[in-house]
Amino acid sequence: MKKDEIEIIKQILQERSQEFLFSNNLRFRSYKEVILILNMPEWKDPKYQSLLTPNIWHSTYDGIKRILAMSEWEDQKYQSLLTPNIWNSTYEEIKKILSMSEWEDPKYQSLLTPNIWNSTYEEIKKILSMSEWEDPKYQSLLTPSIWLSTYEKIRIILSIAEWEDPKYQNLLAPSIWATNYEEIKKILTMPEWEDPKYQSLLTPSIWHSTYEKIRIILGMPEWNNPKYSHLLKPSMLPVKINKIREIIALFEELGLSDYLTNSIFLKSIKQIKVTYDYLIENNIPVIINDKLNPLFNCSKAIMLKYYGINLDELMNRYGVKR
């Protein structure tokens, strides 16, 4: 597109409050086609308006026209698919995907979400045709996040022999698709899972961690101390290793190690310190009914709303003294 044509397009977009549509991709389109796309009457239909984003410049005028003219969009079942990432696909792909007979099967209908446009018709067909979906233990994996994966990855993950062991079956959750086969295999074959002490950690949240991190956490000597062994719960796996050690050390320093709970590990070291300093300075009990003062577990918003305490001001006031 010529420089003067680009300026005209910019002016048109500004007049329509559509400056967000301008992108580098637009520069490589013909002036005539850009005008045709911008003036399409379909944009007056509310169900298509969310599609008018810079992604649209990946498609041609004829391609856009054919996609928007599809009769399927009159069916409520498909209207949730009308999101900007539809432009990652083509009319032919969309037509084949929406015509798949599998969508009549209730167990697949929840998969009809915009994430589907990240996959091709061939991939979708292979995934939905997998015999594993007839097995109830795998059906919980049929959620839209499956489209972040591929047929080959899904096939190899579902073939892992450990899924026949009941203690691992509750790990078959959609969050598994964010983890690769090698990580899953290493995690499931850790010898620690034969020890009942660790089996409570086998929950889907394990996939938010990594093999190396899990290995280090399980090997921490702190869990041999009766004061801390109760902290070894699934919520601990996503916490940074250094943070676990620093909070334990801080509570020992403050003489509060008997009152540690898992929820405190969701807070920052700085928040814990300034909350403690505030309580001490104002002669407010740190321990109430043999538990940490509830302030330690409050969010910034709750502190302000219910206690009138501005945590940011406390942080500026006390800083980190220790």
Side-chain angles (χ1 to χ4, degrees), residues 260-321:
L260 265 174
T261 62
N262 287 83
S263 58
I264 204 72
F265 290 87
L266 301 175
K267 306 301 175 187
S268 69
I269 302 287
K270 189 172 182 180
Q271 180 176 341
I272 295 167
K273 288 181 177 181
V274 299
T275 302
Y276 177 82
D277 288 339
Y278 171 82
L279 294 173
I280 294 299
E281 186 173 288
N282 289 277
N283 296 312
I284 300 171
V286 173
I287 303 300
I288 299 174
N289 296 327
D290 208 34
K291 293 180 181 178
L292 281 178
N293 188 305
L295 271 182
F296 280 103
N297 291 311
C298 287
S299 65
K300 287 184 182 182
I302 296 297
M303 269 193 178
L304 189 60
K305 183 175 181 180
Y306 293 102
Y307 297 96
I309 299 170
N310 188 313
L311 185 60
D312 290 326
E313 287 181 5
L314 287 188
M315 288 187 174
N316 290 332
R317 180 179 172 187
Y318 292 107
V320 181
K321 294 181 178 179

Side-chain angles (χ1 to χ4, degrees), residues 28-269:
F28 302 106
R29 307 301 299 274
S30 75
Y31 174 79
K32 180 181 177 182
E33 188 166 41
V34 170
I35 293 297
L36 281 172
I37 290 170
L38 292 177
N39 290 335
M40 287 173 63
E42 286 84 352
W43 305 131
K44 295 177 182 177
D45 187 328
K47 70 174 175 282
Y48 297 131
Q49 288 171 2
S50 66
L51 303 183
L52 200 52
T53 70
N55 283 358
I56 204 164
W57 306 123
H58 294 298
S59 302
T60 65
Y61 169 76
D62 291 334
I64 295 167
K65 196 77 176 171
R66 292 178 76 197
I67 289 170
L68 299 188
M70 290 174 63
S71 59
E72 285 84 352
W73 308 131
E74 301 307 316
D75 187 332
Q76 289 280 344
K77 178 171 71 177
Y78 298 121
Q79 288 182 10
S80 65
L81 302 177
L82 288 168
T83 64
N85 57 351
I86 201 170
W87 306 124
N88 295 332
S89 199
T90 63
Y91 169 81
E92 288 76 15
E93 278 282 294
I94 294 167
K95 194 72 179 173
K96 286 193 293 184
I97 290 168
L98 298 189
S99 65
M100 290 173 63
S101 59
E102 285 82 355
W103 306 129
E104 301 306 316
D105 187 328
K107 71 174 176 283
Y108 297 129
Q109 288 172 2
S110 66
L111 304 182
L112 270 172
T113 69
N115 283 349
I116 205 168
W117 305 128
N118 296 320
S119 301
T120 65
Y121 167 77
E122 287 73 17
E123 274 287 291
I124 295 167
K125 192 73 178 174
K126 286 196 294 183
I127 290 169
L128 298 188
S129 299
M130 292 175 68
S131 59
E132 286 84 351
W133 308 131
E134 300 307 316
D135 187 332
K137 76 171 175 281
Y138 296 122
Q139 289 179 8
S140 62
L141 300 176
L142 288 169
T143 68
S145 59
I146 203 170
W147 304 126
L148 302 175
S149 203
T150 63
Y151 166 77
E152 195 53 38
K153 179 182 175 181
I154 294 166
R155 185 191 64 76
I156 196 168
I157 288 173
L158 297 190
S159 69
I160 293 174
E162 283 76 9
W163 303 132
E164 299 305 316
D165 187 330
K167 72 173 175 282
Y168 297 126
Q169 288 176 4
N170 70 324
L171 302 183
L172 282 165
S175 52
I176 202 171
W177 302 129
T179 309
N180 62 48
Y181 167 79
E182 290 75 17
E183 274 289 292
I184 295 168
K185 190 70 179 174
K186 285 195 294 184
I187 290 169
L188 296 184
T189 53
M190 291 175 68
E192 287 85 351
W193 307 131
E194 299 307 316
D195 186 336
K197 177 174 72 176
Y198 297 120
Q199 289 179 9
S200 64
L201 300 176
L202 290 169
T203 70
S205 62
I206 205 169
W207 306 126
H208 298 300
S209 197
T210 64
Y211 164 77
E212 193 57 30
K213 185 178 177 186
I214 294 167
R215 185 187 64 78
I216 294 172
I217 288 176
L218 297 191
M220 288 174 65
E222 285 83 352
W223 312 131
N224 297 322
N225 186 331
K227 281 186 181 181
Y228 307 131
S229 58
H230 70 284
L231 298 172
L232 194 53
K233 293 179 179 176
S235 61
M236 197 60 77
L237 293 180
V239 182
K240 291 181 179 178
I241 296 161
N242 286 344
K243 185 178 180 182
I244 295 172
R245 289 176 172 147
E246 286 174 14
I247 289 178
I248 289 175
L250 174 62
F251 271 68
E252 287 178 348
E253 177 190 334
L254 300 176
L256 299 174
S257 56
D258 290 334
Y259 303 99
L260 265 174
T261 62
N262 287 83
S263 58
I264 204 72
F265 290 87
L266 301 175
K267 306 301 175 187
S268 69
I269 302 287

